[in-house]
Amino acid sequence: MKHKLKKLSIKIGVLAIIITMFCVIARIAVGNTITLYQFMIEKPEGAAEWVETLDNMEMSFEQEGIALIEKVRLNDGYAEIRIRAISPGRTSLNIKHKDSGTVSTLPIKCGRLLTIYSWTDGRFTGDVFVLSGVCLFCLLTALMLLLTFIKLRADELYSYKSIFIAGFAFFIGTGGIGMIPPIAGLITAPATNTVFGVYSAISGIGYSTMLIASPFLLAFAIAMSISNIELLRHESFRFRNVLGIFVSVVMVLGEFLIIVLNNLNYAGSAFGYNMLQLFVNILSIAYVYFECMLIGSIICGFRAAKHVPNHNVDYIIILGCKFRKDGTLTPLLQGRCDAAIDLFKRQREKTGKQAMLIPSGGQGPDESMPEADAMANYILSTGVPKECVLREDQSKNTYQNMEFSKALIEKRSSLPDSRVVFATTNYHVFRSGLWAKLVGLDAEGIGGRTKWWFWPNAFMRECAGLMANRIKQEVILFIVLVMICVGLSIVMFV
């Protein structure tokens, strides 16, 4: 995993360098010019054509020696004014219409590299190329993240990094897609579109991503609610049994609130409106960050649960849980055992190789025997040879399941040369793989079936647990995203 992430980082770095070089070359090719756009006042009475109003326009710079007017062209309702920088400094282009006496002011700045910045609409020399480069970087980065995720091996999948790769690929990909319309508008209709519009799309990446993901959210909320209602029909009312409904309601109401605030007819000051937009953008980023990490968790969890290992397994660890008082297995625990037994028998039929089954689980305070013994009794009843069952009866949790089973394997054979698989319930595969990684056990997971109405809510609990374990890293990344949003908002507001 580290090698692939290092390789991915190098690719993204190289891509950033290539995109930067493209922007620099494009900037040099454009020269030191920029085209400004000024809408015309109402057509003077008696004027036959718009071109006649050109003589009625008087243009001059407030401070000479900084920029020159190269060309002026009138279109349908607006003027294209191409200016060229000749020295660093600040000035304003004043446009006076002689018939009406109206004066328009277009403040500009010429940088040390003679790049011209317009304070009116955010334009700068080579802006289309730079912004297109940023958009392309986002899209290609998302593609590289996605391809890296697809190529992850089963044992590499069990990592918080894989959640981040899947979730951030969605986040930055939708952000790049959200930039396409304003950039296209800047190219095709420059007079009616501004660079600030592109900045707005970037700072509002959370809002645009939220809108793009809204169909997924609605389908997710409906599915979670249906599964939770069915779960309550079979089990008692507890908060963990309505977690899916709670999360779904919060997500739907959150999206509704953000949409309402974004479309609010605000009648206050410009500063108040800007602060409202900043609040909406930050709220959208917080909302979408959680949504993207949730999507990443679901993708990783689903892929882990559906994984089918090759038939070359040496050890199959079966993670225990509670069984009935009479020593028989619950459907949940039996599903784990059945998944392991099925792999054991299929491998023996196809290759003749017999794996060692390791039922893992100690004895709880209200259990009549270790969970390993209860599982072993069931496994042997299905025809698995006794010599193929190795019990681990001391563990109290998933971490110890992996740690103690690993110790048993190391006593029998060389761990690096042994192929290990663990069996658990489908919703628990991904998180169990994380515990295996923590104890230094490279293992693939297989998932036992469970009732359809139980799986979604249980998986939601797993997602919550995964995110809670990484709360510090998630807060840091969220703060970085908020700082980017605030910085772009300041650029637009100043």
Side-chain angles (χ1 to χ4, degrees):
M1 182 67 164
K2 288 183 179 179
H3 175 71
K4 288 187 178 179
L5 287 178
K6 183 178 180 179
K7 189 175 181 180
L8 174 63
S9 299
I10 293 174
K11 286 182 178 180
I12 293 177
V14 171
L15 175 63
I17 293 174
I18 293 174
I19 294 293
T20 301
M21 291 178 61
F22 163 78
C23 293
V24 170
I25 293 173
R27 164 65 183 84
I28 294 174
V30 169
N32 301 328
T33 63
I34 188 176
T35 300
L36 304 179
Y37 299 88
Q38 174 63 39
F39 279 92
M40 308 293 291
I41 61 171
E42 294 183 4
K43 184 168 61 173
E45 185 177 354
E49 297 179 8
W50 274 110
V51 70
E52 293 181 357
T53 63
L54 182 59
D55 295 333
N56 296 323
M57 296 176 63
E58 187 178 277
M59 302 182 186
S60 62
F61 286 102
E62 189 173 284
Q63 183 176 344
E64 298 292 338
I66 295 177
L68 296 174
I69 299 175
E70 283 198 338
K71 184 178 180 180
V72 179
R73 187 177 69 173
L74 297 184
N75 288 297
D76 188 14
Y78 64 91
E80 292 183 16
I81 309 166
R82 191 170 72 187
I83 63 176
R84 179 168 58 87
I86 55 178
S87 66
R90 294 173 180 264
T91 186
S92 295
L93 176 63
N94 297 322
I95 305 173
K96 180 179 180 181
H97 197 286
K98 298 177 182 178
D99 288 351
S100 63
T102 303
V103 177
S104 300
T105 301
L106 303 178
I108 62 170
K109 173 189 174 182
C110 296
R112 293 182 178 180
L113 298 179
L114 299 185
T115 298
I116 305 175
Y117 302 89
S118 169
W119 301 120
T120 304
D121 54 14
R123 297 180 192 278
F124 58 92
T125 307
D127 48 17
V128 170
F129 297 101
V130 173
L131 296 174
S132 297
V134 173
C135 178
L136 184 61
F137 175 79
C138 291
L139 295 175
L140 292 179
T141 299
L143 179 61
M144 286 191 290
L145 289 169
L146 180 60
L147 292 176
T148 299
F149 178 80
I150 293 174
K151 294 178 181 178
L152 289 178
R153 299 193 311 267
D155 59 323
E156 295 175 326
L157 181 65
Y158 309 122
S159 168
Y160 293 104
K161 295 182 180 68
S162 60
I163 294 178
F164 175 81
I165 289 173
F168 204 69
F170 178 81
F171 182 81
I172 195 171
T174 51
I177 294 173
M179 291 176 62
I180 293 177
I183 292 177
L186 198 63
I187 296 173
T188 59
T192 54
N193 292 275
T194 67
V195 171
F196 286 142
V198 183
Y199 292 161
S200 179
I202 298 175
S203 64
I205 184 175
Y207 184 75
S208 59
T209 303
M210 184 191 69
L211 293 181
I212 293 174
S214 57
F216 160 81
L217 172 64
L218 182 60
F220 171 82
I222 293 174
M224 288 300 301
S225 299
I226 292 174
S227 67
N228 272 199
I229 292 172
E230 191 66 22
L231 178 62
L232 292 174
R233 290 179 57 193
H234 292 82
E235 298 190 6
S236 59
F237 180 87
R238 288 177 290 180
F239 176 74
R240 69 177 189 175
N241 288 342
V242 294
L243 179 62
I245 293 178
F246 175 76
V247 172
S248 298
V249 170
V250 169
M251 293 181 71
V252 171
L253 290 180
E255 180 163 339
F256 177 76
L257 173 63
I258 293 172
I259 292 175
V260 169
L261 291 175
N262 192 68
N263 293 278
L264 185 67
N265 291 323
Y266 183 79
S269 64
F271 177 79
Y273 174 78
N274 291 337
M275 291 300 100
L276 174 63
Q277 290 300 115
L278 179 59
F279 174 75
V280 170
N281 289 338
I282 293 176
L283 189 62
S284 298
I285 286 179
Y287 178 90
V288 170
Y289 175 75
F290 170 77
E291 189 176 77
C292 287
M293 293 304 105
L294 176 61
I295 291 174
S297 298
I298 291 175
I299 293 173
C300 290
F302 186 79
R303 181 180 170 186
K306 296 298 182 181
H307 174 68
V308 178
N310 295 327
H311 298 99
N312 186 30
V313 179
D314 297 298
Y315 296 92
I316 306 175
I317 303 170
I318 309 170
L319 307 185
C321 61
K322 278 193 174 184
F323 54 89
R324 296 191 182 102
K325 292 182 178 181
D326 62 0
T328 59
L329 307 187
T330 60
L332 196 69
L333 186 52
Q334 183 177 330
R336 299 181 179 187
C337 291
D338 287 342
I341 294 169
D342 180 62
L343 176 60
F344 173 88
K345 291 183 176 180
R346 280 189 289 109
Q347 175 172 294
R348 185 173 59 179
E349 291 173 0
K350 290 187 176 183
T351 66
K353 181 178 180 179
Q354 291 194 145
M356 181 66 69
L357 296 175
I358 306 179
S360 175
Q363 184 174 354
D366 57 346
E367 293 177 327
S368 58
M369 67 181 82
E371 293 167 359
D373 289 349
M375 288 188 285
N377 292 337
Y378 174 77
I379 292 170
L380 294 174
S381 71
T382 64
V384 175
K386 187 176 182 179
E387 63 271 16
C388 292
V389 179
L390 177 64
R391 308 181 192 205
E392 185 288 297
D393 57 6
Q394 298 299 314
S395 56
K396 303 299 181 183
N397 51 49
T398 305
Y399 183 89
Q400 291 183 355
N401 286 148
M402 299 298 185
E403 183 180 29
F404 296 166
S405 297
K406 176 189 174 187
L408 289 179
I409 295 172
E410 288 176 329
K411 289 180 180 180
R412 294 176 56 89
S413 58
S414 172
L415 186 61
D417 297 329
S418 301
R419 184 128 184 265
V420 183
V421 168
F422 63 87
T424 184
T425 314
N426 47 18
Y427 63 80
H428 194 238
V429 174
F430 184 79
R431 201 174 185 193
S432 298
L434 292 177
W435 291 120
K437 284 290 186 183
L438 287 176
V439 303
L441 179 62
D442 289 330
E444 301 175 43
I446 54 175
R449 294 182 180 180
T450 187
K451 299 293 184 181
W452 70 268
W453 42 264
F454 188 84
W455 188 89
N457 195 71
F459 187 75
M460 175 54 64
R461 296 201 305 267
E462 293 293 305
C463 291
L466 288 169
M467 297 185 70
N469 288 343
R470 296 276 293 180
I471 189 65
K472 290 183 179 179
Q473 292 88 338
E474 290 165 4
V475 169
I476 291 174
L477 179 58
F478 172 68
I479 291 175
V480 171
L481 294 174
V482 169
M483 290 176 63
I484 294 174
C485 174
V486 172
L488 288 170
S489 297
I490 291 174
V491 169
M492 291 185 292
F493 299 161
V494 173

